[in-house]
Amino acid sequence: MRKAFITGITGQDGSYLAELLLEKGYEVWGVVRRSSDSNTSRIRHLAFGEAAKAGRFRLAHGDLGDSGSLHRLLAEVRPDEVYNLAAQSDVRISFEIPEETSDSAGVGVVRLLEAIRQLDLPARFYQASSSEMFGRVLETPQRETTPFHPRSPYAVAKVFGYHMTRNYREAYGMFAVNGILFNHESPRRGENFVTRKISRGAARIKLGLDDRLRLGNLQAKRDWGYAADYVDAMWRMLQAAEPEDYVVASGRSHSVREFCDRAFAHAGLPLHWTGEGIDEKGLAEDGRVLVEIDPEFFRPAEVDALIGDAGKARDRLGWRPRTSFEELVAMMVDHDLAELDAATPARTFERQR
């Protein structure tokens, strides 16, 4: 039975990847940081499920900031595959905590690679790189050969981790690859990310729990896909004959405004613009401002537009996204409507009468 070792298993991608690998018959080890407020909600069904009872799903305490814990765990598990998904991944927050972001998203990669090297493990290594590395884009669409121009501490740290992964591959012959994933979302996305903030906001307004949603740059464009589709690409990279880096993207770009339009329309709240500039109110429905543009949420350095070319992954890995943008938005809004509806005491009382 093959063993997989996943950092960041409590996150969106980690939970979907763990599910995929368990379905494929792996024994999955997840690394979690010791914390007084540990959030394992995304993997609770795995931690108490049949795989855990059979000893095929295990959690262990470790930290990318602690080389000793990584060395100890890798020596114990001796995995066949290592997926490094852990990092402080909020781009806007990275401007506020650049040092912590650089340590987790950048130097943490070195600690993990070096532990694998020192232990002489034959494990294949996946590094979660990011489309944010392209930043102020130098060509469109972006592909594996597009130069990087990072525009945030998070993106700079990811560029460092990307090059360290390539360096260990070239210097030590390690099977180490970078997955340059463009934005990928799901109902498990953190509520601090703009897509989940929108789907959650639309649901809260629809259910009468809020009267408006405050957002930043509605003109920013991103290439959005479904996280469960994208973890399949991660796995495929480690099954390839040779270690190479790949862009993973849908090839379609949509603005934050488009995401808002579709999410609110799906919730039964069609929107129209009150203005185009940041000094205008935002998006309205029936005379009510539902989406308010707030300069507080603008980044110090914006990334205006990203769109990826996943032709290499399609041709060499046989990977294609299966979920459309429209399906993704609807899935997220439906999830948040159902979750909030079930959690609202008055609605629960009405259903029980």
Side-chain angles (χ1 to χ4, degrees), residues 80-221:
D80 300 288
E81 297 171 6
V82 175
Y83 296 86
N84 182 33
L85 311 183
Q88 191 299 107
S89 57
D90 188 307
V91 176
R92 190 174 68 86
I93 294 298
S94 76
F95 286 98
E96 301 174 14
I97 50 171
E99 190 172 336
E100 178 183 334
T101 301
S102 299
D103 190 69
S104 65
V107 182
V109 182
V110 183
R111 295 189 183 104
L112 195 49
L113 285 165
E114 188 62 10
I116 294 170
R117 187 188 72 83
Q118 289 182 5
L119 289 166
D120 196 26
L121 296 177
R124 296 187 169 198
F125 176 82
Y126 172 86
Q127 165 60 15
S129 291
S130 169
S131 60
E132 287 287 332
M133 300 188 304
F134 295 119
R136 181 180 287 170
V137 298
L138 301 179
E139 67 174 353
T140 299
Q142 296 84 55
R143 49 184 63 88
E144 291 81 5
T145 55
T146 303
F148 299 137
H149 188 141
R151 299 269 285 168
S152 67
Y154 168 76
V156 171
K158 282 293 185 180
V159 170
F160 176 84
Y162 169 92
H163 283 299
M164 289 304 299
T165 299
R166 292 193 66 177
N167 181 256
Y168 272 71
R169 179 170 75 217
E170 295 170 2
Y172 303 115
M174 293 174 60
F175 194 109
V177 305
N178 288 285
I180 308 174
L181 271 59
F182 280 63
N183 293 65
H184 46 290
E185 319 299 321
S186 77
R188 299 181 192 176
R189 191 56 141 157
E191 293 179 32
N192 54 317
F193 289 88
V194 67
T195 51
R196 187 75 193 288
K197 191 174 180 181
I198 292 169
S199 66
R200 197 78 167 174
R204 289 187 64 85
I205 293 170
K206 179 65 176 180
L207 297 174
L209 302 174
D210 274 333
D211 63 351
R212 68 183 59 194
L213 172 65
R214 294 163 60 229
L215 294 174
N217 182 10
L218 300 187
Q219 308 298 342
K221 292 185 175 181

Side-chain angles (χ1 to χ4, degrees), residues 195 198-199 202-203 258-269 329-330 333:
T195 51
I198 292 169
S199 66
E258 289 179 78
F259 201 106
C260 280
D261 284 338
R262 187 161 292 276
F264 276 75
H266 189 74
L269 299 166
V329 177
V333 173

